[in-house]
Amino acid sequence: MDTEEIIQTLKQVRDYLAPLQTPYEQAIYNYLFRWSYLETGERSVRKGKRTIAAESGAPRFGSSISYAAVDENLRSLEKKGHIRIGDVTREGTLYTILLPIEIPECIRLMHERHQLPEGPPDYFGDPAKRREIFERDQWVCHYCGEEVTEENACLDHLIPRSKGGESTWNNLVTSCLECNSIKSGKTYEEAAPLLLERIKQRRMRRAKDKER
Ligand SMILES: [Zn+2]
């Protein structure tokens, strides 16, 4: 996580996760978060329960948390899906810390309050963004090189959406109506022979028109 992501995550912990936790659970979750993500950048940390008991309570409660309470709250955190409890060795138990964006209950709360970070810009659905692609391609079809107009300009997904292609700056190209309908749903490799055939036909048609 970079600094920006850590700040974002801490806000989400404060706003969406903490309200779902008891004070003891919060103290233990924050303690594990501090020794994993904030200390090593790892998702997991290995700690003994006695260490957790001795160290996690003091900042908040002014004293250690009892071993029994630590044990109980670790299990309730796991039950809530806020941490995962892994294997036990001499050095302690391995705890994996789940982030608010990985916890369904938090995700639901975030959606409710529209606090999820915005997705990438939609270059396909947003008219202003579509125009940016047409401008970039100078209103010329990527496949046949014909000029396109406001009326017949299309955007084509290089990697089709059906194959996981997204509506991003790099995956969209300007295309004319004709090439777009040939290319639709196909990869470039699949569509290339058909596109070339159509371009040839168009050229021949034009040559004939000239002869007349
Ligand atoms: Zn074209």
Side-chain angles (χ1 to χ4, degrees):
M1 272 201 269
D2 62 27
T3 313
E4 200 52 48
E5 286 169 326
I6 287 182
I7 292 171
Q8 186 69 23
T9 300
L10 288 173
K11 285 182 190 168
Q12 290 168 348
V13 167
R14 154 78 180 69
D15 293 346
Y16 302 106
L17 188 61
L20 306 174
Q21 297 175 336
T22 66
Y24 272 4
E25 287 172 347
Q26 275 179 46
I28 293 169
Y29 179 93
N30 291 344
Y31 176 80
L32 294 174
F33 184 85
R34 184 248 177 274
W35 286 105
S36 54
Y37 281 101
L38 297 187
E39 184 70 17
T40 61
E42 304 277 330
R43 291 168 59 78
S44 301
V45 61
R46 191 176 290 284
K47 285 277 178 190
K49 278 183 199 154
R50 287 189 197 288
T51 311
I52 298 175
E55 294 179 354
S56 66
R60 183 170 182 130
F61 305 110
S63 68
S64 61
I65 302 176
S66 78
Y67 182 89
V70 165
D71 192 48
E72 186 187 317
N73 284 282
L74 281 167
R75 274 187 280 121
S76 64
L77 280 170
E78 189 188 35
K79 215 169 161 191
K80 289 180 174 180
H82 300 181
I83 63 168
R84 282 196 207 107
I85 302 178
D87 65 314
V88 185
T89 67
R90 277 164 165 273
E91 281 75 42
T93 305
L94 188 72
Y95 298 100
T96 302
I97 293 79
L98 285 102
L99 301 177
I101 50 165
E102 299 173 304
I103 299 169
E105 179 76 1
C106 289
I107 296 169
R108 197 179 57 73
L109 287 172
M110 283 183 234
H111 275 298
E112 268 177 25
R113 292 182 225 168
H114 307 290
Q115 288 286 311
L116 275 186
E118 274 185 46
D122 178 4
Y123 280 97
F124 192 74
D126 180 343
K129 291 280 170 201
R130 288 174 71 87
R131 230 194 142 75
E132 282 183 41
I133 305 264
F134 296 141
E135 299 287 0
R136 179 198 67 190
D137 297 341
Q138 301 182 305
W139 298 87
V140 167
C141 173
H142 178 76
Y143 299 108
C144 68
E146 298 263 11
E147 272 187 40
V148 296
T149 62
E150 294 264 10
E151 282 68 44
N152 69 3
C154 300
L155 284 180
D156 188 69
H157 290 80
L158 287 170
I159 301 168
R161 278 189 286 189
S162 58
K163 297 192 166 76
E166 292 178 337
S167 299
T168 55
W169 175 261
N170 289 321
N171 193 44
L172 286 168
V173 289
T174 302
S175 92
C176 69
L177 211 53
E178 215 173 338
C179 291
N180 188 251
S181 64
I182 297 170
K183 168 76 169 43
S184 91
K186 303 179 192 73
T187 62
Y188 182 70
E189 283 73 14
E190 293 166 337
L194 303 167
L195 287 164
L196 285 173
E197 186 54 40
R198 186 62 66 95
I199 292 166
K200 247 191 263 170
Q201 284 175 10
R202 249 192 270 173
R203 289 218 179 117
M204 280 161 61
R205 211 189 309 142
R206 260 185 226 149
K208 270 187 199 158
D209 286 350
K210 265 190 193 167
E211 279 171 24
R212 277 179 208 156

